[in-house]
Amino acid sequence: MKIEDIYLSMLGLSIPLAIILSISYPSYFNPIWMTVLLGSALIYGIIGPILSAKNLLFLAGSIPHSALLSASMGILLSMMISGSNLVWSIIFNVILIFTIGLVIHRGGDPNKYTSIFIGTTASLTVIVLYYITNHFYLLTSVESILLGDPLLSTRSDAILIFVLAAITLLFFGLTYKEHIYIGITGEEAKLAGLRTEIYEFFFYLFLGITSATLMKIVGFILTHVFILIPGAAGSLVARKSKEAIALSMNIAAYSAIIGLFLGVFFNLSPSGTTGICMIAIYIVINVAKKVYGR
């Protein structure tokens, strides 16, 4: 059996495991909490390795900052104009992600322009949040946006994450080879007849939608960890793209399950414990690679 098939089998077990735990121990594994965390994990478990293959990890680090600014703008616009703050947040975030993506794909230095992007979005976020807290009455605190708390998720949040995860997994499950081919070969993919602009359009569209949605539901910290750690850990030891994606999704999924249990059992933030689990797995993989090699 190929190693990627083993990873996929393990991944296939994570969802039934989550269902069994939710039924058997609902106080620790509430179905809503589990759906939100596991869905979020799977979304970036598949996107992370593609970002890595495209050599866009620095951009990946800037995406949560973009989503945080967009969440702040969503709150502001919903108060000033009306409408859903999530919808405003998604629209604003997609525009930001497309803008930085366009700059990079027109030959801009990714490190240079994403650094400017992070600095700009961080500064604007502070300004917007300061303005909101001094001019409006907030039903949710700024702290909840930054830290996030999956335990406060609603049934609507769980349904939204479930649908978004299903669409994301379906799309990238069918197109991951093309995305990785474009990331590795660049212009060669276009010369080979691949409609790279279409793939890139949907890639950045999904980045904008998923990051804005996860920011609202699980917060800045967990969005940051999910988008960076699983993909980086999977890429450490994987020899093939399918293997990297399967390992990344496993790391994210099992970290979410274990992190939720640790958070509830020890009365800690599940976002924090999930992040710690992912970082611990990354360290173990990194050490094992150096000791045993691949």
Side-chain angles (χ1 to χ4, degrees), residues 36 52 55 68 97 103 111 115 122 142 147 163 169 172 197 210 225 240 257 273 278 289:
V36 166
S52 181
N55 198 26
L68 182 58
I97 297 297
V103 170
N111 294 337
S115 297
V142 173
L147 300 180
V163 172
L169 293 176
F172 285 107
E197 65 278 2
T210 55
V225 175
K240 301 176 183 178
I257 294 173
T273 52
M278 278 188 272
K289 180 182 178 182

Side-chain angles (χ1 to χ4, degrees), residues 218-229:
V218 300
F220 177 81
I221 303 299
L222 197 54
T223 300
H224 217 300
V225 175
F226 269 141
I227 202 170
L228 290 173
I229 302 300

Side-chain angles (χ1 to χ4, degrees), residues 22-41:
S22 295
I23 295 173
S24 304
Y25 306 98
S27 59
Y28 291 112
F29 300 98
N30 183 288
I32 292 176
W33 306 341
M34 184 66 78
T35 301
V36 166
L37 276 173
L38 190 59
S40 302

Side-chain angles (χ1 to χ4, degrees), residues 77-259:
L77 291 171
S78 66
M79 290 179 169
M80 295 180 67
I81 305 176
S82 78
S84 167
N85 60 10
L86 177 59
V87 173
W88 281 119
S89 175
I90 290 174
I91 292 172
F92 198 83
N93 198 46
V94 168
I95 293 172
L96 288 176
I97 297 297
F98 272 128
T99 300
I100 186 63
L102 184 62
V103 170
I104 292 173
H105 282 276
R106 287 194 171 180
D109 181 357
N111 294 337
K112 174 183 176 182
Y113 284 102
T114 48
S115 297
I116 296 172
F117 185 70
I118 290 174
T120 303
T121 53
S123 300
L124 290 174
T125 298
V126 173
I127 293 172
V128 174
L129 289 178
Y130 184 85
Y131 181 84
I132 290 173
T133 54
N134 282 277
H135 291 81
F136 298 96
Y137 172 75
L138 283 177
L139 294 176
T140 57
S141 66
V142 173
E143 180 183 345
S144 68
I145 300 174
L146 292 172
L147 300 180
D149 190 353
L151 303 188
L152 297 178
S153 301
T154 64
R155 186 184 299 272
S156 297
D157 293 332
I159 293 172
L160 177 60
I161 288 290
F162 178 83
V163 172
L164 186 59
I167 295 172
T168 303
L169 293 176
L170 177 62
F171 175 75
F172 285 107
L174 294 174
T175 62
Y176 77 91
K177 291 182 180 179
E178 287 81 359
H179 283 288
I180 291 175
Y181 180 58
I182 292 170
I184 294 173
T185 64
E187 289 298 318
E188 289 184 21
K190 183 178 290 187
L191 294 174
L194 200 63
R195 297 291 299 275
T196 57
E197 65 278 2
I198 295 177
Y199 288 99
E200 293 297 85
F201 171 84
F202 281 103
F203 176 72
Y204 285 104
L205 179 64
F206 270 93
L207 280 182
I209 294 173
T210 55
S211 58
T213 305
L214 264 63
M215 179 62 64
K216 176 185 181 296
I217 298 175
V218 300
F220 177 81
I221 303 299
L222 197 54
T223 300
H224 217 300
V225 175
F226 269 141
I227 202 170
L228 290 173
I229 302 300
S235 300
L236 275 177
V237 295
R239 296 172 178 172
K240 301 176 183 178
S241 58
K242 184 178 179 181
E243 183 181 333
I245 290 173
L247 180 56
S248 171
M249 293 177 70
N250 269 296
I251 293 170
Y254 284 103
S255 294
I257 294 173
I258 297 171

